[in-house]
Amino acid sequence: MTVELQHVGRIIGPHGVDGRVKALPVDESIELLEELTVWSLGFTANSVVPHTVEECRRHISSRGTSLIVRLDGVSSRTGAELLKGAGVFAPASEVASLRGGSSDEPGWAGFRVVDTVGTVVGEVVELRPMPAQDLLIVRRSGRHEAMIPCVPEFIEHVDVEKEEITVNLPEGLLD
């Protein structure tokens, strides 16, 4: 039986010297990452290695809120550095259960993307995991698809109820 995995976060780098990693959710749900007891880590959903979460705490800085996590099997800074850019995956059924929804949740596909003044940029067709950061692939009417890095500097807000993502993009990114 194949378990469908959902991309829920990413490792942004090591924290300290004892193997802890710093992680961010792919959406606004930091609580979901905190509740998961096993993180499957990898650069694609097809090549993941499960790790038990031994410790998890919030880290608040001027850049926002992230998680500092100790994972089984990662006990050095070198080991943590190897995980930089890896995606955090979890069974879609577990994610749906923690969110109180169905396992058929489409993620961000179909969400409308708007800029900070409300101008429609396009519609999300895919959230593509990449080594450096995830990319929102956005279909734009009459133009080429846009690839928007899914980083806190560009993603202002995700409104799950309205299925809308507000972005604050640097000039020229969509050209």
Side-chain angles (χ1 to χ4, degrees), residues 14 24 31 34 37 40 69-71 78 102 106 110 128 153 161:
L24 290 174
E31 293 83 9
E34 288 176 310
T37 58
S40 294
V69 182
R70 180 186 305 278
L71 301 163
T78 302
S102 75
R128 185 176 299 163
E153 294 83 8
E161 300 277 322

Side-chain angles (χ1 to χ4, degrees), residues 25-68:
V26 295
D27 61 15
E28 78 285 358
S29 182
I30 202 162
E31 293 83 9
L32 173 72
L33 279 180
E34 288 176 310
E35 292 183 46
L36 293 170
T37 58
V38 175
W39 287 8
S40 294
L41 303 178
F43 292 95
T44 69
N46 298 326
S47 62
V48 296
V49 175
H51 291 272
T52 301
V53 175
E54 294 179 345
E55 177 187 330
C56 181
R57 66 178 170 84
R58 288 189 187 202
H59 177 72
I60 301 170
S61 70
S62 61
R63 298 172 108 183
T65 303
S66 59
L67 293 176
I68 304 299

Side-chain angles (χ1 to χ4, degrees), residues 32-150:
L32 173 72
L33 279 180
E34 288 176 310
E35 292 183 46
L36 293 170
T37 58
V38 175
W39 287 8
S40 294
L41 303 178
F43 292 95
T44 69
N46 298 326
S47 62
V48 296
V49 175
H51 291 272
T52 301
V53 175
E54 294 179 345
E55 177 187 330
C56 181
R57 66 178 170 84
R58 288 189 187 202
H59 177 72
I60 301 170
S61 70
S62 61
R63 298 172 108 183
T65 303
S66 59
L67 293 176
I68 304 299
V69 182
R70 180 186 305 278
L71 301 163
D72 74 316
V74 184
S75 59
S76 69
R77 183 172 181 89
T78 302
E81 285 173 346
L82 293 174
L83 295 174
K84 184 176 181 177
V88 178
F89 298 88
S93 59
E94 184 177 357
V95 172
S97 173
L98 289 171
R99 287 187 173 152
S102 75
S103 62
D104 298 326
E105 286 183 304
W108 287 357
F111 277 37
R112 185 171 61 156
V113 178
V114 298
D115 64 18
T116 54
V117 294
T119 305
V120 175
V121 174
E123 179 181 308
V124 176
V125 293
E126 178 186 359
L127 178 62
R128 185 176 299 163
M130 300 297 284
Q133 75 268 326
D134 298 337
L135 294 175
L136 283 178
I137 308 302
V138 179
R139 180 179 313 126
R140 302 186 307 154
S141 181
R143 304 177 86 185
H144 66 281
E145 285 184 340
M147 293 190 283
I148 300 173
C150 195

